[in-house]
Amino acid sequence: MIQIRQLKLMPGHSDRELTEKAARVLRIRPEEIASLRVVRQSIDARKKPEIRLIYTVDVKLVGAREEKVLFSCRKNPDVGPAPEVRYRFPEPGKEVLAERPIIIGTGPAGLFCGYLLAKAGYRPLLLERGEDVESRTRRVEEFWKTGVLAPDSNVQFGEGGAGTFSDGKLNTLVKDKDGRNAEVLKIFVENGAPEEIRYESRPHVGTDVLSRVVKHMRERILSWGGEVRFSTRVTELVIEGGRVRGVVCENGERIDAGAVVLAIGHSARDTFAMLEKKGIPMEAKSFAVGFRVEHPQELINLSQYAQRSPEALPPASYKLTAKTSEGRGVYSFCMCPGGYVVNASSEPGRLAVNGMSYSGRDGKNANSAIIVSVTPQDYGADGPLAGIHFQRRLEERAFRAAGGAVPVQRYADYAGAEREKRERHVPADFAPAIKGGWKFADLRDILPPSVRKAFLEGMEAFDRIIPGFADDAVCLSGVESRTSSPVRIPRDETLQSSVRGLYPCGEGAGYAGGITSAAMDGMRVAEAIAARYQIFQNGGNDGTVSE
């Protein structure tokens, strides 16, 4: 197989044009190409409005000519043998696993951990406090319509985790020398995601497609002998002699297990409190807070493409970072082209927001979280759960600001006299696109003063990069407080807590920051369990109740 990099074509080109371009680079006829696979596609907008698509492709030739063609192209740095990075799941270990492994949580970390273990024959039991994705979707839509919150089945809790109601972005900065990233995308495609996510530089699936993928993955887990129980909240870990021995559910049921994966997500605050009570080592960690910021999508398109409504190109996105005068980091997070702000609350009397888009990304607004880094020194308290208490204070202020509706404020009103004067780019009647009830309100007292100052400095800096980013009519909504877990659960090189058999996993445990990185961490934990234990066949726990 031959790999060609830096193939440039106009947007809207045909498959035939891509094949012909590859043939010209290799100095062969198009008919000599047996197959062509796109490995990567990105957008080059450096010479706006002349936009180009840049490809990396793997080419298989007709007959045994690859060595000869590679020799003829030896002086071209963009042509070479295609590298092969194959994901390999480990062979089963030697220790006996008396009971099937338990996975707490079915977000990306828990779901992928369960998927690989089930496929390998370990028959995992997945316990999820929320509902299945179909029931959960109905519940969330009802919440957005009525404001009636279901504390255990909402945007944060339920099958698929918090990422189910997001933009469904699948890019990650995690290094992929072992092929886990590619395997995550492969599994998504095998379960209904579009093929192009395997090569796009910024892949996404959207909440509508992701919901179907999650359901298909669950069905495969069941077909391989695994079990998934919904509306099953774990309230206690059974620990004896420094080892985990099982879990206790809210209904009093005890389920024995020698391997328990803690994939609880970043919002399971009651579970973190239970872990602290049980003496599980935890520590407060830094994260970030801020507001969702909305702009007309055409404004972002104009900035990135020099076109308001480009043809044959996706809605434009951005990634922005700044350092403030006091040394805080400010950056965009979870940018949703053509998307919506959503009420992502999970506790009564507290309000948090997130961003979401469908696969078509065809909404009129773009939104992103503009967030400010905070550290344990900002939390106003000590202890491993100080960051959670800090989050709750912000969310209580956000809830009060608009009486439980999502509070929204124009940027000019939020910044007041601190705002620089500038040319107007956003219409004065620009309206937010929000899932859930919303009201104009005062956001100025939600963030601590030093964080508010940093947010304003960041907005002004970003306006110099994207003209109109900090216009008068730009809409802010808040509070964005669930960017990542404020807690880390330490684990050793075997991926276990100091409590043996307990495997902290994914974003909630502090080891991931998005759908793909959480899925990859779930895979790592599945590998660690498989490499240690024999395939579970029968014996100890078969899902029965212990007194």
Side-chain angles (χ1 to χ4, degrees):
M1 194 82 75
I2 297 173
Q3 186 167 98
I4 309 172
R5 297 170 292 277
Q6 295 296 314
L7 282 181
K8 296 185 179 183
L9 289 167
M10 295 280 289
H13 67 81
S14 65
D15 291 343
R16 178 67 181 177
E17 288 174 303
L18 181 59
T19 300
E20 290 173 346
K21 185 69 176 283
R24 287 197 297 273
V25 171
L26 298 179
R27 304 174 189 173
I28 60 176
R29 292 176 289 108
E31 293 74 22
E32 296 180 79
I33 295 179
S35 65
L36 182 149
R37 182 175 71 89
V38 177
V39 176
R40 184 175 175 83
Q41 178 202 72
S42 58
I43 298 172
D44 184 356
R46 290 174 295 179
K47 297 181 179 179
K48 297 183 279 286
E50 295 182 9
I51 311 296
R52 296 290 184 271
L53 300 180
I54 303 179
Y55 289 91
T56 297
V57 299
D58 284 351
V59 176
K60 184 177 181 180
L61 304 183
V62 175
R65 298 195 57 220
E66 289 184 3
E67 287 189 13
K68 183 177 180 181
V69 171
L70 283 170
F71 182 79
S72 70
C73 298
R74 64 190 182 279
K75 294 184 179 180
N76 187 339
D78 293 324
V79 177
E84 186 176 5
V85 179
R86 295 181 61 187
Y87 175 73
R88 298 183 186 279
F89 195 71
E91 294 295 320
K94 296 182 179 180
E95 292 188 33
V96 175
L97 188 62
E99 304 93 10
R100 55 181 171 168
I102 288 177
I103 300 168
I104 305 173
T106 61
L111 191 63
F112 271 78
C113 183
Y115 190 90
L116 293 192
L117 287 175
K119 186 175 182 180
Y122 287 84
R123 297 174 54 206
L125 171 60
L126 285 73
L127 303 177
E128 169 57 55
R129 69 190 296 164
E131 296 173 302
D132 63 84
V133 71
E134 302 101 322
S135 302
R136 179 190 181 198
T137 298
R138 291 192 293 270
R139 185 86 65 179
V140 167
E141 289 175 348
E142 184 69 15
F143 167 60
W144 288 338
K145 181 179 178 181
T146 66
V148 178
L149 177 69
D152 280 330
S153 190
N154 46 60
V155 172
Q156 306 296 341
F157 300 138
E159 186 177 25
T164 302
F165 296 95
S166 70
D167 187 53
K169 278 181 283 295
L170 301 177
N171 53 300
T172 178
L173 298 178
V174 176
K175 301 297 182 183
D176 191 33
K177 62 183 179 65
D178 296 314
R180 293 191 188 96
N181 189 357
E183 187 70 9
V184 167
L185 299 179
K186 176 174 174 282
I187 290 171
F188 272 124
V189 170
E190 289 173 348
N191 287 277
E195 179 71 26
E196 53 264 30
I197 68 169
R198 299 184 68 176
Y199 58 77
E200 290 178 333
S201 61
R202 295 180 179 177
H204 89 107
V205 291
T207 186
D208 47 340
V209 173
L210 190 57
S211 297
R212 297 197 298 269
V213 170
V214 165
K215 177 184 176 181
H216 290 157
M217 290 184 67
R218 178 229 308 165
E219 291 171 344
R220 288 203 175 186
I221 289 172
L222 297 177
S223 72
W224 290 327
E227 182 182 354
V228 184
R229 298 189 192 177
F230 297 108
S231 300
T232 304
R233 184 163 65 92
V234 172
T235 57
E236 181 105 16
L237 292 180
V238 180
I239 300 172
E240 299 170 357
R243 287 196 58 88
V244 67
R245 300 296 182 182
V247 303
V248 178
C249 301
E250 188 174 23
N251 62 1
E253 176 184 8
R254 170 174 165 164
I255 308 173
D256 294 331
V260 174
V261 179
L262 204 57
I264 57 176
H266 58 42
S267 294
R269 293 164 172 173
D270 51 356
T271 306
F272 285 119
M274 178 270 289
L275 296 175
E276 184 181 39
K277 185 177 179 180
K278 296 294 291 186
I280 305 299
M282 295 185 291
E283 57 194 31
K285 63 178 277 289
S286 300
F287 68 113
V289 297
F291 296 117
R292 278 279 148 181
V293 180
E294 289 188 76
H295 304 89
Q297 181 61 51
E298 287 188 349
L299 175 72
I300 307 304
N301 292 344
L302 187 64
S303 170
Q304 305 299 75
Y305 297 149
Q307 304 173 52
R308 289 188 179 276
S309 302
E311 295 183 5
L313 284 171
S317 62
Y318 57 79
K319 186 176 182 179
L320 301 168
T321 62
K323 184 73 75 173
T324 71
S325 59
E326 295 180 353
R328 287 189 187 269
V330 185
Y331 53 98
S332 61
F333 172 80
C334 187
M335 195 271 159
C336 297
Y340 300 85
V341 174
V342 302
N343 188 331
S345 303
S346 62
E347 294 181 327
R350 301 185 176 103
L351 190 144
V353 295
N354 193 14
M356 184 190 85
S357 64
Y358 297 104
S359 56
R361 286 179 164 176
D362 52 3
K364 293 183 178 180
N365 290 2
N367 77 75
S368 176
I370 300 301
I371 50 177
V372 180
S373 298
V374 291
T375 70
Q377 286 69 44
D378 295 305
Y379 300 160
D382 296 322
L385 305 188
I388 290 177
H389 301 316
F390 176 79
Q391 285 178 319
R392 281 174 161 164
R393 289 196 297 273
L394 303 188
E395 292 171 13
E396 287 164 3
R397 295 170 192 166
F399 186 91
R400 291 195 298 266
V406 175
V408 179
Q409 189 169 30
R410 303 281 185 193
Y411 180 69
D413 296 328
Y414 183 79
E418 300 168 61
R419 179 182 172 278
E420 296 178 1
K421 295 185 180 297
R422 60 180 57 80
E423 179 184 354
R424 182 183 296 278
H425 294 80
V426 178
D429 61 351
F430 174 66
I434 296 178
K435 296 286 186 178
W438 64 273
K439 293 180 181 178
F440 282 114
D442 191 349
L443 306 181
R444 288 175 293 181
D445 292 331
I446 292 178
L447 300 179
S450 62
V451 178
R452 177 176 182 271
K453 178 182 177 183
F455 175 85
L456 291 171
E457 284 190 35
M459 288 291 292
E460 298 299 322
F462 300 155
D463 190 79
R464 293 188 284 271
I465 299 170
I466 299 178
F469 198 88
D471 268 19
D472 286 3
V474 165
C475 290
L476 314 181
S477 55
V479 58
E480 179 85 24
S481 54
R482 310 286 183 93
T483 55
S484 66
S485 179
V487 179
R488 177 174 285 109
I489 307 173
R491 64 190 188 190
D492 62 18
E493 66 279 358
T494 69
L495 307 189
Q496 297 178 81
S497 165
S498 59
V499 174
R500 300 288 85 185
L502 184 64
Y503 292 83
C505 180
E507 191 163 344
Y511 296 99
I515 293 172
T516 303
S517 61
M520 292 169 68
D521 198 59
M523 294 170 70
R524 289 187 67 206
V525 170
E527 293 160 18
I529 292 173
R532 187 179 187 92
Y533 295 108
Q534 298 176 16
I535 294 175
F536 173 74
Q537 299 293 343
N538 51 49
N541 168 48
D542 195 29
T544 56
V545 178
S546 298
E547 296 296 337

